[in-house]
Amino acid sequence: RQIDSLLEMNRLFTAWTENVYHRRVHSETGAAPLARWMGDRPLVVPNPSDLAEAFRWSEHRTVSKTALVSLHGNRYQVDPLLVGQRVELVFDPFDLSFLRVRVQGQDAGTALPFQVSRHSHPKARPETPAEEPRPTTGIDYLGLIDTAHKADLADKVNYAALGEQRTPAVDLTDLTGE
């Protein structure tokens, strides 16, 4: 199916969300998303710092006798008390200018950039462009969902239309008697 406008895409996405996604049982939770949303449990919203932490990478290094650690060609200064210890470096793969140091799971401060030549992890890749669209099957899946969504909406009360006051058309010939 060819989508000709953003308005049509949004309408079809809404139809798919309401008729397919919200009603299909999720394999991980064992419940449909709409049923979970309408449940009596409070929604758990992650703390932004916890969310950022979840996407950080980490690598282990041994601190040299000069209190330096190396990570992909960069060197960082750490607390001199960590000399000889194996530490965990926690970082954003797209920004190697800021590293947190952990020892046995406990925070041990920040690794200060000493000599930085690489600013991102070698395996960190920006998002790749979308792959080429696959050949069509001839089944208009979005059209089927759209039809079901329109039928579902037709069964509901249109409150906006109830608020409109309509004045009946008056035939002037009836008033004049002609």
Side-chain angles (χ1 to χ4, degrees), residues 18-63:
E18 291 180 4
N19 290 313
V20 178
Y21 177 77
H22 283 310
R23 300 180 195 294
R24 187 180 295 159
V25 174
H26 191 276
S27 62
E28 183 85 13
T29 63
L34 185 59
R36 279 181 55 93
W37 178 262
M38 300 301 284
D40 56 354
R41 294 186 307 237
L43 294 176
V44 178
V45 179
N47 184 338
S49 62
D50 292 340
L51 191 59
E53 182 69 22
F55 288 96
R56 295 200 196 292
W57 293 10
S58 71
E59 294 191 20
H60 290 86
R61 296 290 187 270
T62 301
V63 180

Side-chain angles (χ1 to χ4, degrees), residues 156-168:
K156 296 181 180 174
V157 176
N158 184 352
Y159 292 102
L162 292 176
E164 296 175 8
Q165 295 296 325
R166 296 190 178 158
T167 56

